[in-house]
Amino acid sequence: MKKIFLAGEWVLGQGKPTVSYFPADGTKNDEFSTASVEQVDEAVRKAHQAWQQPEWRFSLPSQRARVLWKVAELIEARVEELAALQTRDNGKPLSETRGLVMSAAQTARYMASVLDTLDEELTNQRASDTLTLSVYEPLGVVAAITPWNSPIASEMQKIAPALAGGNAIVLKPAELTSLVALRLAELFEEAGLPKGLLSILPGKGSVVGNALVQHHLVRKISFTGGTNTGKQLAHVAAERLISTSLELGGKSPTVVLEDADLELAVNGVIYGIFSSAGQACIAGSRLFVHQSRYDEFVARLVEKTNRLRVGHPEDPATQVGPLIDENHLRGVDAYVQQAKAEGGQVVTGGHRVTGNGLDQGSYYAPTVITGLSNSATVCQEEIFGPVLVVMPFESEQELVSVANQSVYGLAAGIWTENYRKAWQLARLLDVGTVWINTYKKFSISTPFGGFKQSGVGREKGRHSILSYMQQKSIYIGLDSTPNPWCEG
């Protein structure tokens, strides 16, 4: 049974053991122990002690950067091993998990680079007898909670900037996908991270996650996952007056304007919704196509969607792998049935995929639905699966109004040859990321986060390190004359 990583020590978790299963066929990957509430307390207390030590907290940025540089090298040297492990954990095709592993390496390397160039401030001087400056200091212990759909990338986007800022971090990975997080702990050990600064505590959110975010020594909550859980964590943070970073759900609109290159747009739309089997917060699940191009676009979309290769994630030819588990498949199918009940027409997909060795896995066909308005359930609630709803529009004014009619505001896509129009439309959409003539592309240097109920705060970019720090102002008196106020 796999052990947990508690403050730099590998120990058996005292919580209820759990099992990781391969979504492709339901076979057992591994059994591992989970943390108890008492072990959460121990991890946080040891993290607090480790953070208070000057060796890390007040170390030179270049010293902290060395650890991150080393981790990046170790990840790159183990790309195939880590990609295979994540594929076993959550069923994503190897082509995708290789990209996620490289993304994790790039995150560590980028944060290390930023550390070497992140300046503090000598503020504008307003008096001749006082020198004013501003410095950034670590918050302390960070509680991080990550999702199952992109574990290694999500985890590194929290661990790297938190450690770069001089903090300690206690990570609770998703219960279904803890194997990669535990492997990451080994790499940080090998890179020379001081003990206590990192803990990986698998377990249920209701047990481990709740004990972690409620702990009085935790100074920041960083969470990626569902909006309902994010709201609960926001309440916890508000009660405790600690900072949060919440990257939550989405129901992202994709827009095809009248002048769009249809071949470019069709391929981009298909990738935006059906890669990762739709299990992505930024999946372009609402598609708006100009009325004049609607019929032609839908015909091309269906034809290409039907050619997608649904298959075993370890098969190099596979484009769409399985959903995370059987429960999630049933939930996705329930949404499709709801769409049909509300008058939607399933023009392709809408069923489980079996045969060719796929019977034991949780595979669902890429699904395209027409005949619904934006008020339909499947247009308002996050499905987190390979389901796309296509709707026509006539005017851009109408489009903006309807596209923004969502509690979410994570991302959007625009397909057009007119960049002036694209720019204007991008500024009108209430979302945190807009892709123009591309989709689902990321850069670690570019901030990412959502509007409205898609989250609070930003990850990535130079300022992600500062989000794990607090600003302190220092005034230095330069006048040697005693303050005359006291002389009477």
Side-chain angles (χ1 to χ4, degrees):
M1 181 181 296
K2 293 189 76 69
K3 298 178 178 179
I4 65 174
F5 189 66
L6 198 162
E9 300 288 344
W10 291 96
V11 300
L12 278 175
Q14 297 168 358
K16 183 179 179 182
T18 189
V19 177
S20 166
Y21 294 100
F22 189 21
D25 56 20
T27 56
K28 179 179 175 179
N29 290 326
D30 211 336
E31 184 174 0
F32 52 91
S33 58
T34 64
S36 65
V37 171
E38 293 75 18
Q39 287 178 312
V40 172
D41 177 68
E42 181 183 355
V44 174
R45 290 183 183 278
K46 288 184 175 179
H48 183 71
Q49 292 168 5
W51 162 73
Q52 288 185 311
Q53 300 305 309
E55 288 78 10
W56 189 257
R57 180 180 180 182
F58 296 122
S59 62
L60 292 174
S62 58
Q63 293 173 312
R64 298 196 296 277
R66 283 196 196 101
V67 173
L68 295 176
W69 281 113
K70 182 62 175 176
V71 167
E73 293 171 0
L74 292 172
I75 291 173
E76 285 189 341
R78 295 164 172 80
V79 170
E80 292 303 318
E81 170 202 337
L82 292 169
L85 186 61
Q86 181 159 320
T87 291
R88 292 288 309 185
D89 225 6
N90 73 353
K92 279 193 173 184
L94 280 170
S95 58
E96 289 191 38
T97 56
R98 286 190 190 98
L100 292 169
V101 172
M102 290 305 299
S103 171
Q106 291 163 7
T107 297
R109 182 172 290 109
Y110 176 81
M111 295 303 167
S113 301
V114 169
L115 269 178
D116 277 335
T117 58
L118 194 64
D119 295 327
E120 294 178 305
E121 300 176 24
L122 183 67
T123 56
N124 188 286
Q125 303 306 302
R126 310 301 294 173
S128 61
D129 62 350
T130 309
L131 177 68
T132 59
L133 60 151
S134 174
V135 298
Y136 291 90
E137 297 183 352
L139 291 168
V141 181
V142 174
I145 302 174
T146 52
W148 49 258
N149 61 320
S150 299
I152 192 167
S154 296
E155 285 149 8
M156 191 57 75
Q157 284 167 23
K158 300 182 189 303
I159 295 173
L163 292 177
N167 302 279
I169 183 167
V170 180
L171 172 73
K172 192 209 86 65
E175 186 182 2
L176 293 173
T177 55
S178 297
L179 296 179
V180 169
L182 293 169
R183 186 71 180 94
L184 272 180
E186 296 176 11
L187 300 186
F188 272 97
E189 258 193 315
E190 189 175 342
L193 182 70
K195 281 190 175 182
L197 292 171
L198 175 64
S199 291
I200 307 293
L201 305 182
K204 288 184 175 294
S206 58
V207 178
V208 176
N210 187 59
L212 179 57
V213 300
Q214 295 279 1
H215 201 287
H216 70 281
L217 291 177
V218 165
R219 297 309 306 156
K220 180 181 174 77
I221 299 170
S222 181
F223 171 77
T224 300
T227 295
N228 289 337
T229 302
K231 289 179 180 179
Q232 296 169 15
L233 295 178
H235 280 289
V236 172
E239 285 291 327
R240 301 193 49 235
L241 286 178
I242 61 175
S243 64
T244 59
S245 173
L246 305 173
E247 198 267 275
L248 308 176
K251 196 68 190 173
S252 300
T254 304
V255 177
V256 179
L257 299 183
E258 188 173 12
D259 66 345
D261 179 324
L262 290 198
E263 194 66 15
L264 190 70
V266 167
N267 283 13
V269 166
I270 287 174
Y271 178 75
I273 178 61
F274 296 134
S275 60
S276 303
Q279 298 172 123
C281 54
I282 46 83
S285 54
R286 289 186 297 148
L287 175 61
F288 299 92
V289 182
H290 192 274
Q291 182 68 60
S292 65
R293 312 298 296 277
Y294 181 81
D295 290 340
E296 180 185 2
F297 191 93
V298 171
R300 291 195 190 194
L301 175 71
V302 170
E303 189 270 331
K304 282 208 167 186
T305 298
N306 287 336
R307 298 208 313 253
L308 291 176
R309 296 183 295 274
V310 179
H312 196 284
E314 293 175 340
D315 182 344
T318 291
Q319 293 166 288
V320 182
L323 299 179
I324 185 66
D325 62 17
E326 190 69 22
N327 287 335
H328 189 53
L329 183 146
R330 285 195 289 266
V332 169
D333 187 63
Y335 271 113
V336 174
Q337 302 313 314
Q338 176 71 24
K340 291 162 68 174
E342 293 181 18
Q345 289 88 50
V346 176
V347 292
T348 188
H351 58 84
R352 184 185 200 124
V353 177
T354 56
N356 298 317
L358 305 183
D359 293 7
Q360 303 306 312
S362 47
Y363 297 87
Y364 201 82
T367 301
V368 177
I369 300 173
T370 61
L372 293 173
S373 72
N374 189 62
S375 62
T377 302
V378 289
C379 293
Q380 293 298 312
E381 297 182 12
E382 186 176 38
I383 299 174
F384 222 65
V387 179
L388 174 66
V389 181
V390 191
M391 294 165 279
F393 74 91
E394 294 184 2
S395 73
E396 289 169 32
Q397 183 177 4
E398 166 208 356
L399 165 70
V400 171
S401 175
V402 176
N404 284 337
Q405 286 175 7
S406 172
V407 298
Y408 298 108
L410 191 57
I414 301 171
W415 299 89
T416 177
E417 294 297 288
N418 187 327
Y419 276 81
R420 290 186 182 90
K421 190 175 292 185
W423 172 260
Q424 294 165 355
L425 184 55
R427 298 305 299 269
L428 292 171
L429 294 173
D430 293 336
V431 298
T433 295
V434 179
W435 287 287
I436 298 173
N437 290 335
T438 187
Y439 203 88
K440 211 175 177 184
K441 301 291 186 181
F442 289 105
S443 168
I444 185 59
S445 63
T446 307
F448 177 76
F451 289 7
K452 299 185 283 188
Q453 293 190 28
S454 286
V456 175
R458 294 294 181 268
E459 291 190 330
K460 304 184 179 182
R462 293 176 62 84
H463 290 282
S464 62
I465 294 178
L466 297 183
S467 73
Y468 289 92
M469 304 183 80
Q470 50 197 341
Q471 196 168 16
K472 177 184 287 185
S473 297
I474 299 176
Y475 290 74
I476 302 174
L478 303 177
D479 193 348
S480 59
T481 304
N483 191 320
W485 184 86
C486 299
E487 301 303 321

